Amino acid sequence: MIEQMLATHSILVKVFLAFLVAGLFIPKMTTRKPLGFRKASFIYTMIFQGIATMIAFTGLIALVAGELPFSFAIILMTIIWAVMMFIEIKKYKLIKIAKLENPETHKVLKAGFIKISILQILLVAIMVALMVFKAKGLLSI
């Protein structure tokens, strides 16, 4: 049972990583429509939060049901999850209140969107790599 929970958690993390990579194309697809960028950003944020919450929920269920030890890796995953949610919420709030009709503002926000997305991809990829190393016995965290 615990293997199935961890497998579900792992699959959701991979789906999340693919979603983050796909999100890099949002600024490119909405180049000419600033309000389209705002709408796409809203949809992206809602899906981001949904998948991130599913990941946290499956991880928590696996932790409790599997009676896993509260290790440094779990603490690190929790911190990364909280940081990513905070960054995503702040990013969307900034896009929501910005005057996107100004081309310069639109350009800056699109660049920021891409930079934040790359940061989020790196955070998830690093955590995945650490967990792979841990599973192979190359790392004990």
Side-chain angles (χ1 to χ4, degrees):
M1 176 105 160
I2 186 69
E3 293 84 16
Q4 187 176 9
M5 288 181 220
L6 291 175
T8 302
H9 184 73
S10 177
I11 289 168
L12 282 170
V13 169
K14 290 176 181 113
V15 167
F16 188 55
L17 196 52
F19 172 76
L20 290 173
V21 171
L24 288 172
F25 297 104
I26 288 176
K28 193 70 170 166
M29 292 185 309
T30 59
T31 302
R32 301 196 193 281
K33 298 181 182 179
L35 295 178
F37 176 63
R38 182 177 284 151
K39 288 179 184 178
S41 175
F42 174 72
I43 293 168
Y44 175 85
T45 299
M46 294 302 114
I47 295 171
F48 177 100
Q49 290 176 344
I51 296 172
T53 302
M54 285 189 284
I55 290 169
F57 183 73
T58 57
L60 181 64
I61 296 298
L63 176 72
V64 172
E67 297 177 4
L68 299 174
F70 202 70
S71 65
F72 178 71
I74 292 173
I75 294 169
L76 189 59
M77 281 187 268
T78 305
I79 291 170
I80 288 175
W81 180 84
V83 166
M84 289 183 63
M85 288 296 269
F86 177 79
I87 291 170
E88 187 62 29
I89 291 167
K90 285 293 186 183
K91 177 180 79 174
Y92 175 69
K93 282 185 177 182
L94 184 63
I95 292 171
K96 182 179 177 181
I97 64 170
K99 304 240 185 280
L100 291 177
E101 296 78 25
N102 181 351
E104 206 50 43
T105 304
H106 187 220
K107 184 178 176 182
V108 169
L109 286 175
K110 287 191 325 182
F113 188 98
I114 292 172
K115 289 175 185 173
I116 290 170
S117 293
I118 290 171
L119 173 68
Q120 291 171 335
I121 290 168
L122 286 174
L123 285 171
V124 173
I126 288 168
M127 195 64 225
V128 168
L130 288 175
M131 294 311 289
V132 167
F133 291 149
K134 181 181 177 186
K136 294 194 181 270
L138 300 172
L139 189 64
S140 61
I141 55 170

